[in-house]
């Protein structure tokens, strides 16, 4: 790949201070560092460094969602590809503009947001809304706070929250029944022009007292956000993330655990009634329904917007899990994960503050 | 004992367990400074002939710890900046004893007990002692609340304890005996990787009589051999008096100084790292020409020479020509030169990662080739918490980093940045490539400076008050 490095070195002066295209320097830098790792050396102790960098961390998340992305292609057709392209194009534009104004490099954090974003959208959403939502999420949810590492809210969830509050009707009308053909929806295009069979999500149906099969939700052949339907693939990718230690198992375990316990308790106590008999049945149904698993593995585990301390992560997960149950069962909304995680993002700094306060008090007597 | 954090970095270039004696040098370059000492008080004249064991210079700030002439030769003072050069170095009969007259004087001054400490200091054994909490040279006349003897040396790649101990077990136990004789009832903690091994049993049998020697087992994980970590794990408090930390070579030096009354000048130093063709341990005296070592062991021409280990050592400047008196190892690292193509999506079968993000985590343990590349771009902290997990001191490096970023020095002080032992693991694991170690060290220095200023200010005020008081008294006396 020497030739590429030569080209990059040859055009570099154009983008540097004094060059014609110096405004585009962050874009150039991002491209350069995408292909070639920087040649920076350590200047003092420690003289060696771990190979893990942010690019690798982010690519781990992208690898983890590959199964879900493929499933989205299978169930919802080529239109999903267009959604990914639009998401990256719109988001990167916003990111690049902010980077140019701030004269900083483009942060790789967006590559994760760009792929997660179409996965949490209704598959039939108009493409302009895909673009608008991601632009809103990235600019308001992340860049205004100072970019990746300094944001308080998960940018994808801010975008989704914005869309569902601003365009509730379009959002609700954009759910489609996934393809049930053997080859799935591969090579087909379903979209607003040829409106496909619109399908209510299992959670929406459940509000009307109709609970679908848990097995279908496990496999993914139900209506729902593009990447959220197949529980088994999300679990697969999620376990990969936990093994690589990019995502914290504490958050996932506490969030899902508290969700299961509270749902189970509510069913046992008779506070909510489901058509499915027993305790175990409805609990499993709810665990696999909607965006809970996707949120637990990919959204709540975002290290930037969650708490940093391990103790904080436990409480963070519990708060999200419990809030999701409450929203799903006792409010007009059918799906509560988005709001629950955003609420968790708000609480996260306070949780950290408390835990850090306790640790510092304990450290006072050390040594 | 419960330890926090820690991490072993597996690198290629681990020194073999054998010890090679380097050929006798013709000329020695003795650096006038080392990690802790600055030998500013020169005791010899230009052109003076000295014998091995003579004091060339001493450090007035560190209880006059001496810089000893390792060999006989002719002194050249101004030949090389920052060095005392010893020409025509030859191995003559070492000075067998401290002059009887001097001893008599010491005995009158300090009594019999003081002689031992005087010997330790003047024969070069005292420089192997560390204050566990500050890392500085302890007061040779002070009494510690405990002594920690560590046979471990876990940082890659410093001279290991087992290599130092080879065939010198008797010297170790004798050294421990001498150490005990310096104390009253204070405990000596002997830290070993395995206290039920045959070797440990041998030591146990030898030291059966010494009640105050306690053996401790610690896991072989960097940096659990650090004296401050050990002292904290033993629940020893800073306020309870100094704690002496000594490594294997220190105990052996104590034995040599007190049993044979001979100066300690030759030491075992490791030479390791990825730029070395035959990583091993070498026997050298301080002042040994580094170029000679490089000629023999280093094959990489553009390599970084580090004085010390890979995580805490300092780059050896080109101006330093000789091994300094505190050197425990020389590490040679290849400099990063090539830029990796699409490095972040490589499977990584051959690279280690703290977070299991490469395929190599499916593999058995192996040693890795590493160079000085920083391997990524500097980014803001993403709060991944790896630095806290790996921190052996139990502090939160990312939190202190954020406080310092916001200029909140007082908060950083409350977060106990002073507990940092500068092991370098936080910088090593950080995926955002933030140099946490340096930031923490700078913050410590800043806080220390501010405290010193406040102390000075208080002293000044007290002084002023006293003067006022005296002036008032005088004027009162006058009026009377």
């Amino acid at each position: 790949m020497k030739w590429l490095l030569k080209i990059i070195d040859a055009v570099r002066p154009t983008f540097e201070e004094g060059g014609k295209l110096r405004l585009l320097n962050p874009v150039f830098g991002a491209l350069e560092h995408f292909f070639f790792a920087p040649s920076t050396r350590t200047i003092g102790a420690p003289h060696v460094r771990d190979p893990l960098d942010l690019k690798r961390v982010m690519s781990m998340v992208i690898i983890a969602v590959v199964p879900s992305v493929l499933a989205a292609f299978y169930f919802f057709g080529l239109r999903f590809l267009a959604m990914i392209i639009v998401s990256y194009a719109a988001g990167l534009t916003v990111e690049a503009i902010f980077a140019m104004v701030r004269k900083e490099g483009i942060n790789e954090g967006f590559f994760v947001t760009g792929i997660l974003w179409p996965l949490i959208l209704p598959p039939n959403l108009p493409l302009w809304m895909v673009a608008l939502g991601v632009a809103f999420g990235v600019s308001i949810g992340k860049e205004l706070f100072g970019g990746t590492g300094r944001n308080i809210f998960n940018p994808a969830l801010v975008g989704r929250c914005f869309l569902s509050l601003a365009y509730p009707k379009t959002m609700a009308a954009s759910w489609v029944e996934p393809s049930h053909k053997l080859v799935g929806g591969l090579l087909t295009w379903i979209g607003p022009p040829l409106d496909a069979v619109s399908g209510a999500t299992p959670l929406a149906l459940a509000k009307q007292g109709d609970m679908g099969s848990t097995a279908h939700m496990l496999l993914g052949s139900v209506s729902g956000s593009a990447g959220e339907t197949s529980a088994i693939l999300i679990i697969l990718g999620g376990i990969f993330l936990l093994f690589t230690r990019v995502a914290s198992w504490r958050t996932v375990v506490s969030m899902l655990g508290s969700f299961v316990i509270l749902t189970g308790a509510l069913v046992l106590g008779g506070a909510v009634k489901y058509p499915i008999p027993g305790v175990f049945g409805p609990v499993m149904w709810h665990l696999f329904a909607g965006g809970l698993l996707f949120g637990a593995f990919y959204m709540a585990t975002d290290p930037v917007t969650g708490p940093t301390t391990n103790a904080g992560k436990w409480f963070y997960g519990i708060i999200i899990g419990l809030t999701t149950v409450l929203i799903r069962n006792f409010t007009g909304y059918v799906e509560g994960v988005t709001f629950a995680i955003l609420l968790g993002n708000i609480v996260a700094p306070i949780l950290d503050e408390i835990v850090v306060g306790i640790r510092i008090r304990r450290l006072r007597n050390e040594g | 004992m419960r330890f926090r954090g820690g991490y072993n970095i597996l690198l290629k270039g681990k020194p073999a367990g054998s010890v090679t004696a380097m050929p006798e040098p013709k000329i020695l370059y003795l650096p006038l400074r080392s990690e802790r000492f600055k030998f500013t008080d020169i005791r010899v004249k230009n052109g003076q002939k000295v014998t091995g064991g003579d004091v060339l210079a001493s450090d007035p700030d560190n209880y006059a710890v001496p810089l000893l002439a390792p060999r006989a030769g002719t002194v050249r003072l101004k030949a090389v900046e920052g060095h005392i050069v010893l020409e025509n170095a030859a191995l003559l009969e070492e000075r067998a004893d401290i002059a009887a007259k001097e001893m008599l004087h010491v005995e009158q001054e300090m009594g019999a007990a003081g002689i031992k400490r005087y010997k330790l200091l003047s024969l070069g054994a005292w420089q192997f002692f560390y204050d566990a909490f500050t890392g500085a040279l302890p007061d040779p006349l002070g009494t510690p609340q405990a002594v920690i003897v560590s046979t471990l040396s876990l940082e890659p790649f410093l001279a290991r304890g087992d290599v130092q101990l080879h065939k010198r077990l008797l010297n170790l136990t004798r050294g421990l005996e001498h150490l005990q004789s310096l104390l009253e009832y204070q405990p000596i903690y002997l830290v070993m990787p395995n206290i039920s091994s045959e070797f440990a049993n041998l030591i146990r049998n030898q030291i059966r009589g010494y009640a105050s020697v306690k053996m401790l087992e610690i896991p072989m994980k960097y940096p659990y051999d650090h004296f401050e970590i050990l002292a904290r794990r033993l629940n020893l408090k800073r306020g309870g008096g100094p704690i002496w930390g000594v490594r294997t070579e220190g105990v052996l030096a104590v034995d040599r100084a007190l049993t044979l009354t001979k100066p300690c000048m030759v030491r075992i130093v490791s030479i390791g790292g990825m730029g070395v063709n035959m990583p091993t341990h070498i026997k050298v005296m301080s002042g040994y020409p580094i170029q000679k070592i490089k000629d023999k062991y280093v094959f990489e021409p553009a390599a970084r020479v580090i004085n010390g280990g890979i995580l805490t050592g300092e780059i050896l400047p080109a101006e330093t020509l000789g091994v300094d008196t505190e050197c425990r190892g020389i590490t040679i690292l290849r400099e990063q030169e090539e830029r990796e193509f699409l490095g972040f999506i490589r499977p990584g079968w051959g690279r280690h990662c703290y977070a299991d993000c490469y395929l190599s985590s499916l593999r058995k343990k192996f040693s890795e080739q590493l160079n000085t590349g920083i391997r990524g771009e500097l980014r803001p902290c993403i709060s991944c918490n790896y630095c806290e997990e790996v921190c052996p001191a139990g502090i939160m490096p990312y939190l202190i980093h954020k406080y310092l970023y916001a200029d909140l020095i007082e908060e950083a002080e409350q977060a106990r940045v002073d507990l940092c032992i500068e092991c370098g693991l936080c910088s090593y694991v950080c995926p955002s490539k933030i140099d946490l170690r340096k930031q923490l060290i700078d913050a410590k220095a800043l806080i220390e400076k501010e405290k010193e200023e406040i102390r000075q200010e208080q002293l000044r005020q007290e002084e002023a008050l006293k003067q006022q008081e005296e002036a008032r008294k005088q004027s009162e006396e006058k009026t009377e």
Side-chain angles (χ1 to χ4, degrees):
Chain A
M1 285 298 144
K2 285 249 165 69
W3 57 274
L4 188 59
L5 192 60
K6 269 185 196 150
I7 296 175
I8 287 175
D9 283 337
V11 297
R12 181 177 293 119
T14 332
F15 294 98
E16 275 172 353
E17 207 56 46
K20 272 182 198 157
L21 296 172
R22 62 176 177 280
L23 257 182
L24 289 176
N25 190 28
V27 181
F28 170 75
L31 269 177
E32 180 195 347
H33 288 130
F34 178 80
F35 287 115
F36 293 101
S39 54
T40 337
R41 294 170 185 172
T42 53
I43 44 166
H47 299 273
V48 291
R49 293 295 167 86
D50 194 270
L52 187 70
D53 62 349
L54 274 203
K55 280 202 175 64
R56 183 77 186 187
V57 173
M58 299 305 173
S59 48
M60 283 337 242
V61 184
I62 294 176
I63 292 170
V65 293
V66 163
S68 297
V69 170
L70 294 180
F73 281 138
Y74 178 81
F75 288 127
F76 303 110
L78 280 178
R79 195 171 181 282
F80 185 66
L81 184 65
M83 286 170 74
I84 295 180
I85 294 170
V86 168
S87 154
Y88 269 120
L92 276 177
T93 313
V94 176
E95 188 90 17
I97 292 171
F98 271 94
M100 282 187 257
V101 171
R102 225 188 277 135
K103 294 202 170 60
E104 271 180 16
I106 292 178
N107 200 307
E108 37 282 286
F110 178 72
F111 289 97
V112 170
T113 314
I115 191 82
L116 290 183
W117 168 245
L119 287 173
I120 58 167
L121 290 180
N124 216 2
L125 198 71
L127 290 177
W128 66 268
M129 276 174 64
V130 176
L132 179 70
V134 77
F136 183 88
V138 169
S139 56
I140 307 293
K142 188 169 80 172
E143 291 303 328
L144 284 188
F145 291 98
T148 304
R150 305 184 184 113
N151 49 323
I152 296 171
F153 298 110
N154 190 317
L157 290 181
V158 169
R160 159 125 194 193
C161 189
F162 166 70
L163 284 190
S164 52
L165 292 179
Y167 307 98
K169 272 196 186 141
T170 329
M171 285 286 276
S174 300
W175 307 108
V176 279
E177 201 58 27
S179 168
H180 291 297
K181 281 177 282 186
L182 186 63
V183 289
L186 295 169
L187 303 177
T188 59
W189 178 283
I190 39 170
L194 303 162
D195 223 357
V197 198
S198 69
T201 61
L203 278 168
L205 290 174
K207 283 259 164 178
Q208 295 149 21
D210 175 19
M211 284 171 104
S213 147
T214 310
H216 282 176
M217 289 193 301
L218 189 65
L219 290 174
S221 57
V222 289
S223 171
S225 295
E228 290 175 351
T229 56
S230 173
I232 198 153
L233 293 180
I234 294 168
I235 294 173
L236 198 75
I239 286 175
F240 172 77
L241 271 193
L242 296 190
F243 264 110
T244 56
R245 294 181 45 209
V246 167
S248 166
W249 60 272
R250 292 180 178 86
T251 312
V252 178
V253 168
S254 59
M255 176 172 162
L256 295 181
S258 60
F259 180 87
V260 165
I261 290 170
L262 184 60
T263 312
L266 286 178
V267 174
L268 260 184
V272 287
K273 289 212 164 52
Y274 294 117
I276 304 177
V279 180
F280 189 69
V283 169
M284 287 316 272
W285 188 91
H286 259 283
L287 192 62
F288 294 143
L292 183 74
L293 287 172
F294 197 88
F297 282 112
Y298 300 115
M299 295 296 179
T301 55
D302 173 16
V304 178
T305 53
T308 316
T309 51
N310 288 340
K313 278 174 188 151
W314 284 109
F315 290 105
Y316 175 71
I318 290 170
I319 287 170
I320 296 174
L322 299 186
T323 314
T324 309
V325 180
L326 296 181
I327 295 178
R328 274 193 183 178
N329 290 310
F330 301 111
T331 71
Y333 281 95
V334 291
E335 173 63 288
V337 181
T338 306
F339 296 119
I341 296 179
L342 284 175
L343 182 78
N345 289 164
I346 298 175
V347 188
I350 305 164
L351 291 174
D352 263 348
E353 193 83 23
I354 295 168
V355 176
V356 163
I358 293 170
R359 294 241 357 224
I360 285 180
R361 215 169 305 145
R362 252 190 239 157
L363 274 174
R364 203 175 287 163
N365 303 321
E366 283 274 352
Chain B
M1 286 204 289
R2 231 186 88 250
F3 286 94
R4 273 206 202 91
Y7 182 56
N8 279 339
I9 301 167
L10 296 168
L11 297 166
K12 274 214 172 108
K14 187 181 182 192
S18 58
V19 181
T20 315
M22 292 294 281
E24 277 296 318
K26 293 266 169 0
I27 185 163
L28 288 171
Y29 303 96
L30 291 140
L32 286 176
R33 54 188 312 168
S34 61
E35 201 187 330
R36 288 179 296 173
F37 309 133
K38 273 186 212 153
F39 300 103
T40 48
D41 186 11
I42 312 280
R43 303 274 188 86
V44 285
K45 288 191 197 76
N46 198 20
Q48 185 179 334
K49 287 212 160 56
V50 292
T51 48
D54 281 354
V55 178
L56 297 176
S58 64
D59 182 352
D61 297 330
N62 276 311
Y63 312 102
V65 64
L67 175 68
L68 301 177
R71 292 287 180 260
T74 318
V75 173
R76 289 275 173 265
L77 284 182
K78 294 269 156 59
V80 183
E81 180 72 36
H83 293 67
I84 290 181
V85 181
L86 213 56
E87 279 176 347
N88 304 322
L91 181 64
L92 296 177
E93 188 58 33
E94 287 162 4
R95 221 172 49 154
D97 209 333
I98 300 174
K101 217 169 71 185
E102 219 173 310
M103 290 296 275
L104 209 68
H105 174 70
V106 173
E107 194 165 358
Q108 282 168 354
E109 288 265 298
M110 304 193 273
I115 289 181
K116 278 187 177 174
R117 293 173 182 229
Y118 176 76
K119 275 186 183 171
L120 287 181
L121 185 65
S122 60
L123 291 172
W126 189 251
Q127 57 157 322
F128 292 98
F129 283 69
Y130 293 81
D131 185 288
F133 280 117
T134 61
L137 192 75
D139 183 355
L141 296 177
T143 309
Q145 56 168 318
V147 179
I148 300 173
V149 176
S150 164
T151 59
L152 286 160
S153 189
L154 296 170
E155 186 183 346
F157 297 108
L158 295 175
R160 302 203 306 270
D162 57 331
V163 178
Q164 312 257 15
L165 267 181
H166 188 62
K167 289 188 186 157
R168 288 156 88 183
L169 182 63
L170 184 71
N171 304 47
L172 180 84
T173 47
R174 229 167 32 196
L176 287 173
E177 194 178 352
H178 284 303
L179 261 182
Q180 197 185 9
S181 71
L182 294 175
L183 310 171
E184 289 153 21
Y185 51 86
Q186 293 87 352
I188 297 176
Y189 296 102
L190 180 61
V191 178
M192 306 195 77
N194 185 355
I195 54 168
S196 49
S197 69
E198 212 174 305
F199 181 70
N201 278 333
L202 272 176
I203 295 183
R204 195 172 291 129
N205 282 337
Q206 299 245 11
I207 59 170
R208 188 158 282 164
Y210 323 150
S212 64
V213 179
K214 294 185 181 109
M215 281 174 132
L216 284 177
E217 186 173 291
I218 65 162
M220 293 268 273
K221 200 171 182 188
Y222 176 78
Y224 294 167
D225 61 327
H226 194 281
F227 293 129
E228 183 170 346
I229 297 290
L230 290 171
R232 277 179 60 191
R233 285 304 110 205
L234 286 165
N235 268 327
L236 300 169
K237 296 281 177 219
R238 216 177 270 251
I243 298 159
W244 293 351
V246 203
R247 295 196 184 84
T248 323
E249 59 264 38
V251 182
L252 297 176
V254 167
D255 170 54
R256 186 174 161 85
L258 296 186
T259 310
L260 306 173
T261 323
K262 282 198 171 169
C264 315
M265 297 167 312
V266 176
R267 49 194 304 153
I268 291 172
V269 166
S270 66
I271 168 110
M274 276 63 73
V276 177
N277 49 19
M278 222 173 28
T280 187
H281 289 80
I282 52 175
K283 219 180 215 175
V284 290
M285 66 273 340
S286 50
Y288 199 89
I290 283 170
Q291 193 56 45
K292 276 192 123 178
I293 301 175
K294 272 164 89 176
D295 288 346
K296 187 167 177 195
Y297 288 103
V298 181
F299 64 84
E300 199 74 34
R304 179 181 292 189
V305 183
I306 300 159
N307 185 7
I310 225 159
L311 286 160
T312 63
E314 293 295 324
I315 298 177
L316 199 69
E319 301 87 63
T320 307
L321 298 178
V323 174
D324 70 45
T325 53
E326 285 188 279
C327 181
R328 294 169 60 209
I330 294 170
T331 311
I332 315 282
L333 262 188
R334 211 180 305 158
E335 292 279 10
Q336 154 100 356
E337 260 145 21
E338 274 180 21
R339 300 183 63 177
E340 199 174 34
F341 180 66
L342 290 179
F344 65 99
I345 50 169
R346 301 224 164 176
W349 187 251
R351 55 184 62 176
H352 273 298
C353 176
Y354 175 72
D356 296 333
C357 280
Y358 290 88
L359 271 185
S360 61
S361 40
L362 302 172
R363 233 179 113 175
K364 261 200 219 154
K365 278 185 182 176
F366 65 101
S367 304
E368 195 191 346
Q369 288 270 9
L370 280 184
N371 58 24
T372 61
I374 215 159
R375 302 166 109 184
E377 289 153 280
L378 187 67
R379 292 285 184 235
C381 170
I382 57 158
S383 313
C384 63
N385 207 20
Y386 292 165
C387 54
E388 188 196 330
E389 278 173 30
V390 87
C391 181
I395 53 173
M396 292 165 274
Y398 68 89
L399 183 76
I400 296 169
H401 159 75
K402 284 178 179 170
Y403 284 150
L404 295 176
Y405 189 80
D407 250 340
L408 299 168
I409 295 288
E410 224 163 89
E411 274 79 356
E413 193 184 347
Q414 275 172 8
R416 292 308 298 271
V417 61
D418 60 305
L419 290 178
C420 168
I421 60 157
E422 305 172 14
C423 69
L425 283 176
C426 48
S427 288
Y428 177 80
V429 297
C430 181
S432 292
K433 309 294 168 191
I434 301 166
D435 200 346
L436 293 160
R437 177 179 188 260
K438 187 170 181 303
Q439 292 185 0
L440 265 65
I441 291 176
D442 289 349
K444 270 160 71 173
L446 191 69
I447 290 167
E448 209 44 52
K449 203 178 125 204
E450 274 180 11
K451 273 190 179 166
E452 186 58 37
E453 269 167 20
I454 291 171
R455 217 172 297 142
Q456 294 294 338
E457 184 60 31
Q458 273 175 347
L459 278 179
R460 265 199 299 274
Q461 280 177 0
E462 274 170 28
E463 199 69 14
L465 270 177
K466 257 187 202 165
Q467 275 176 1
Q468 273 179 13
E469 191 75 5
E470 268 173 30
R472 199 169 54 89
K473 267 186 190 165
Q474 274 178 2
S475 63
E476 268 174 19
E477 276 171 18
K478 264 183 196 168
T479 48
E480 273 174 21

